[in-house]
């Protein structure tokens, strides 16, 4: 089978499995199994795949047919400007979350040596991206589950983000104290259980502990606002990613807790995705 035939075969198989972006994924898979870049593929598309590459392709397609996430198969994924290792036990970084990082960057612009806390850090994609963009910052990443925490550790290494500290902790147990932060950011679990049925088939392979946010999806926002407000400096920012139809409720929770300048930002699909607020 040539590279070109493998690409067409992959596209067809992915489409038949109900995968929307079969063209984009087929390109990524062919690049992954051949080790070639875009321009090399264009010049070498008549080259035969080796037996090893064909077996690898078959194995990948079998996994994608049952909708096992591509990101877990590849073992790493691009988020914002950086690469992150991902696998079973950790949430796959989503492009929607890049909006949250961008809002944080706007706020941090011009600040010297900002102290940042990333709660429910998962792969560490938010905190590590901020640490890289603001090398004079000090970033603490807090995560409850060891399966996810080991990804934070390897992503700190991968990105050489040594102005970070990964710690294990539970946001429901309150803040461990310590220095007040300029910015507290979180993309916590926020899906209400009744909405799990309508998530993508790939999401079923991600840990429920990274997804479920209590009966109305808002348990983590309530706990973080209550437990971590005292850990923010005056004038510091609390920044959340929120689920569909949650932004107004989270904005209300923040106002009721005395936060000011409560602001909602939409994502590229015009869904209210990020809520930020300032501690007076
Ligand atoms: C929605 S994921 C977000 C991961 C990452 N911040 C991102 O944006 O990709 C939520 C994360 O919170 C962690 N988590 C769940 N319950 C927690 C708790 N009580 N305290 C701290 N982290 C928790 C999960 O393990 C998961 O890694």
């Amino acid at each position: 089978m040539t590279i070109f035939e493998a690409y067409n075969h992959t596209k067809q198989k992915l489409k038949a499995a109900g995968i929307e972006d079969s063209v984009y994924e087929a390109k990524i898979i062919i690049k992954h199994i051949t080790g070639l870049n875009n321009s090399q593929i264009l010049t070498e598309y008549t080259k035969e795949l080796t037996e090893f590459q064909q077996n690898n392709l078959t194995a990948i397609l079998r996994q994608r047919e049952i909708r096992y996430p591509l990101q877990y198969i590849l073992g790493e994924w691009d988020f914002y400007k950086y690469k992150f290792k991902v696998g079973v036990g950790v949430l796959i970084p989503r492009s929607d979350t890049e909006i949250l990082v961008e809002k944080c960057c706007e706020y941090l612009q011009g600040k010297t040596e900002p102290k940042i806390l990333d709660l429910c850090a998962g792969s560490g994609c938010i905190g590590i991206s901020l640490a890289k963009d603001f090398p004079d910052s000090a970033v603490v990443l807090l995560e409850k589950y060891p399966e996810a925490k080991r990804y934070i550790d390897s992503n700190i290494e991968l990105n050489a983000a040594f102005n970070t500290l990964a710690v294990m902790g539970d946001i429901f147990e309150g803040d461990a104290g310590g220095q007040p932060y300029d910015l507290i950011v979180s993309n916590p679990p926020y899906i209400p259980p009744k909405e799990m049925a309508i998530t993508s088939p790939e999401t079923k392979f991600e840990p429920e502990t990274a997804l479920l946010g209590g009966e109305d999806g808002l348990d983590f926002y309530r706990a973080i606002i209550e437990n971590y407000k005292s850990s923010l400096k005056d004038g510091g920012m609390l920044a959340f990613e929120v689920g569909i139809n949650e932004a107004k409720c989270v904005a209300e929770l923040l106002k009721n807790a005395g936060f000011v300048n409560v602001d909602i930002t939409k994502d590229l699909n015009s869904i209210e995705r990020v809520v930020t607020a300032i501690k007076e």
Side-chain angles (χ1 to χ4, degrees):
M1 187 188 280
T2 64
I3 291 180
F4 186 61
E5 286 164 349
Y7 168 67
N8 283 328
H9 170 73
T10 303
K11 238 179 10 185
Q12 264 172 16
K13 285 276 186 192
L14 295 175
K15 204 167 172 208
I19 293 161
E20 249 174 58
D21 218 345
S22 51
V23 174
Y24 171 71
E25 262 204 31
K27 278 185 200 151
I28 294 182
I29 291 171
I30 297 299
K31 281 202 296 192
H32 176 74
I33 59 159
T34 59
L36 300 176
N37 62 31
N38 284 333
S39 50
Q40 287 168 324
I41 284 179
L42 285 177
T43 53
E44 298 186 30
Y45 65 98
T46 54
K47 207 171 157 188
E48 290 286 323
L49 290 189
T50 63
E51 195 184 336
F52 177 81
Q53 288 168 336
Q54 283 208 33
N55 290 341
N56 196 2
L57 178 60
T58 306
I60 291 176
L61 289 176
R62 281 207 190 114
Q63 292 178 85
R64 284 304 284 136
E65 275 166 357
I66 58 159
R67 305 295 293 267
Y68 188 75
L70 178 67
Q71 294 88 338
Y72 283 179
I73 296 170
L74 302 178
E76 48 177 47
W77 198 241
D78 290 337
F79 171 84
Y80 186 58
K81 305 178 200 166
Y82 308 104
K83 264 196 194 318
F84 291 89
K85 289 197 180 298
V86 291
V88 173
V90 75
L91 191 96
I92 298 159
R94 308 290 205 266
S95 53
D96 290 337
T97 307
E98 293 177 355
I99 315 270
L100 176 63
V101 173
E102 282 161 13
K103 288 298 288 181
C104 292
C105 288
E106 275 171 31
Y107 173 76
L108 292 170
Q109 223 42 258
K111 295 210 168 3
T112 23
E113 301 185 358
K115 310 270 181 290
I116 301 168
L117 176 62
D118 176 6
L119 296 172
C120 302
S123 62
C125 61
I126 300 172
I128 292 172
S129 296
L130 294 173
K132 291 298 290 177
D133 271 17
F134 296 88
D136 71 336
S137 65
V139 183
V140 176
L141 300 102
L142 181 135
E143 166 59 47
K144 178 174 176 185
Y145 295 96
E147 296 80 4
K149 158 82 166 44
R150 72 190 173 91
Y151 282 97
I152 307 181
D153 294 333
S154 46
N155 284 323
I156 287 174
E157 285 291 321
L158 177 70
N159 288 289
F162 300 122
N163 49 335
T164 57
L165 175 70
V167 295
M168 296 205 43
D170 184 338
I171 61 105
F172 290 100
E173 286 177 3
D175 184 14
Q179 55 193 326
Y181 294 95
D182 296 274
L183 169 68
I184 299 181
V185 57
S186 184
N187 173 21
Y190 56 60
I191 302 180
K194 61 180 184 317
E195 283 178 21
M196 273 304 280
I198 55 165
T199 57
S200 74
E202 283 80 0
T203 305
K204 312 278 182 294
F205 290 95
E206 293 182 285
E208 281 201 343
T209 46
L211 299 166
L212 295 174
E215 205 47 41
D216 63 357
L218 304 177
D219 284 2
F220 284 76
Y221 303 109
R222 290 190 195 93
I224 291 172
I225 292 169
E226 186 173 332
N227 294 340
Y228 288 87
K229 187 180 176 192
S230 59
S231 308
L232 260 183
K233 286 182 187 169
D234 293 343
M237 186 166 89
L238 183 52
F240 287 129
E241 175 171 320
V242 298
I244 295 173
N245 295 327
E246 291 180 347
K248 292 198 172 57
C249 298
V250 173
E252 232 13 70
L253 292 174
L254 286 160
K255 283 178 198 159
N256 292 342
F259 282 84
V260 296
N261 296 355
V262 180
D263 184 58
I264 295 175
T265 306
K266 291 183 179 166
D267 66 17
L268 297 174
N269 297 313
S270 296
I271 293 168
E272 293 181 329
R273 187 56 74 190
V274 170
V275 183
T276 57
I278 301 293
K279 180 176 168 184
E280 220 175 359

